[in-house]
Amino acid sequence: MKDKHASGAEVVAADLVGCRYRFVQRQRHPEVPPTDASVARTERLFAARAIVMDKLPTRRGFGDGRSRPFLRIDLAPARSGDEQALADAEFATLEALAAEATLITGALFRGVDEATGHPWRVSVDVLVREPDDSGSYLPVIVSNHRVAQPDRRRTMSAIATNRLGLSPALEVNYRHRHHVADGYRLGLAARALEELGLNSGRGGIIGQDRTMAFLAEDTSAYEPALTTALEAGWTDTPRRVKECATCRFWPICEPELIAMDEISLVLPGDRAKMAREWGITTVTGLIEADVGDPSALARAWRDGIPLLPRVDEVTGPRADVEIDVDMEAYLDQGAYLWGAFDGTEYTPFVTWEHLGGREEAGNFARFWRWLMARREAATQAGQSFAAYCYSANGENHWLRASARRFGGMRIDDVTVPTLDEVEQFIGSEDWVDVFTWVRRQLMGPGGIGLKTVAGEAGYTWVDHGFTGEDSVHARRLALGEDAARAQALREQLLRYNEDDTRATAHVRAWLRAGAPGLRPV
């Protein structure tokens, strides 16, 4: 159902992704400030834009010729909620277009969706005038996503950031990685340029590689999804989804959901789809339906029970030599910390240098050598060996990604493993995902993440409340110029990683003891 509270407010691309109630709540409760995590994400995006702005050309270089004038116009950013500033920014954008500037930064467009009447707004980090005498513009946005992945078998078009407005696109061996919010931004930008008769039909995204703008050759491909998202409108009641955990409006929405006895409190997002098709929309209804695990989870939620056993007897993995591993990465740029706990001592392998080069490669190689040495020593002693992590997706990704990028490199006295070596280890019985043991044996209305399970097992983090989102922000500041602050954050990141390794070990021991304290179903 569309909500009247949202009808007059301008929609931005982020409003069309995820929760369909957040936009409504923002209009109802403008007094609620953004969360610290949201502020940190905004700061990271501002920092990314600043890097890009510094890389953009300011004039034609030697060899570019002088037949065409080069004009760069940098527009002042407008703060959301300041109507006069937004109107001024829109007018300044139109003036810059009329001046036929080669590059326009900080552009802002506003429009109204014809089908729904929704007013919308889109900021475009860079507008690049096409060199083909059409007068059209290429919209380029800056994103903190990884927007393209190296791929020797595929090609796509790209322009170096420092050559935007100066050079044509080149074919590079990458494949596009689509992110919905980025697509919506480019779709809205294309709509705005189309209304002005200046749409080139192409769009660009500068992602975590700030040196390259990767091109989408046909922005009209974004239109169907954009239209569908706008037509979907917004709900006038909340439903719990994944984003609720970090949303500033959760303290307002949760009481509403509890008052409604909303089934999404137990089955968030699409997990309740089948139950809704059966006509079950409340927690009470789910309990009364008595449909196995979902009903058990609903009873557990009502009774405040965080975990339930799925099996009669809970067990855990065991080996003679046990190492618990946890990895920390910064966005998609690289893994900077591999931590290991051997039951007695925590050993971190960390680099505080910028990622993507010898420092990251050498750090990974030192971790790998240490881990394989412990494995080999156990084998030589006739002992079984296991390295554990909790939910291996992240570790497996960065084991493989590090080997692909650096495999075979010799850095000082260490060599980065090849992808084949990494694959052999990941596929062996010596690499164990503790989460798979938990998932087979336990369930909980709030999920079975490490914090939940280890907390129920009696483990407490030193920095209570510090999250993965916090660690990303802390890593950026840990490379900052404020030495005292950087050192404090580095120590916090190491504590956080150590706690994750120790918590994984604690969960294993708890599982092996039969998960004492769990209430039976």
Side-chain angles (χ1 to χ4, degrees), residues 35-46 144 469-470 472-474 476:
T35 63
D36 291 344
S38 177
V39 171
R41 284 193 295 272
T42 301
E43 289 178 359
R44 290 198 298 272
L45 185 56
F46 284 166
N144 264 333
E469 178 78 26
D470 295 326
V472 173
H473 188 56
R476 185 176 73 85

Side-chain angles (χ1 to χ4, degrees), residues 20-234:
R20 286 284 161 172
Y21 196 54
R22 182 180 61 235
F23 181 61
V24 175
Q25 291 289 62
R26 196 163 68 247
Q27 317 316 315
R28 290 176 173 174
H29 301 284
E31 76 284 357
V32 178
T35 63
D36 291 344
S38 177
V39 171
R41 284 193 295 272
T42 301
E43 289 178 359
R44 290 198 298 272
L45 185 56
F46 284 166
R49 286 172 176 160
I51 292 171
V52 170
M53 295 303 121
D54 286 344
K55 291 183 180 296
L56 292 173
T58 57
R59 61 178 65 87
R60 292 193 178 278
F62 181 76
D64 288 332
R66 301 295 176 185
S67 60
R68 291 178 180 270
F70 184 95
L71 175 62
R72 171 174 164 174
I73 298 178
D74 297 311
L75 304 178
R79 188 178 64 182
S80 177
D82 187 335
E83 176 57 35
Q84 186 58 55
L86 292 171
D88 290 345
E90 181 185 20
F91 182 72
T93 299
L94 297 176
E95 282 194 319
L97 290 169
E100 299 183 351
T102 313
L103 295 181
I104 304 168
T105 70
L108 183 112
F109 295 108
R110 306 167 93 182
V112 177
D113 182 61
E114 292 183 1
T116 63
H118 288 314
W120 51 261
R121 182 179 76 249
V122 62
S123 60
V124 184
D125 297 299
V126 192
L127 288 172
V128 184
R129 188 175 173 87
E130 296 280 19
D132 57 5
D133 295 323
S134 66
S136 60
Y137 279 83
L138 168 76
V140 178
I141 63 172
V142 176
S143 169
N144 264 333
H145 295 132
R146 175 74 71 177
V147 301
Q149 191 77 20
D151 190 333
R152 295 178 181 178
R153 298 167 296 179
R154 308 272 288 276
T155 61
M156 64 182 300
S157 299
I159 306 173
T161 303
N162 63 0
R163 298 295 298 172
L164 283 169
L166 300 176
S167 297
L170 298 174
E171 291 299 305
V172 294
N173 289 118
Y174 282 79
R175 56 183 170 84
H176 179 60
R177 288 184 63 180
H178 178 64
H179 299 274
V180 176
D182 294 340
Y184 288 162
R185 280 187 71 192
L186 284 182
L188 288 173
R191 284 190 178 191
L193 290 168
E194 186 67 32
E195 290 178 6
L196 297 171
L198 300 175
N199 183 25
S200 69
R202 305 192 302 169
I205 310 178
I206 299 173
Q208 291 185 26
D209 180 355
R210 314 301 184 200
T211 67
M212 195 74 71
F214 293 95
L215 302 190
E217 294 291 350
D218 182 13
T219 51
S220 67
Y222 299 124
E223 279 298 314
L226 178 57
T227 297
T228 298
L230 285 164
E231 290 179 347
W234 290 269

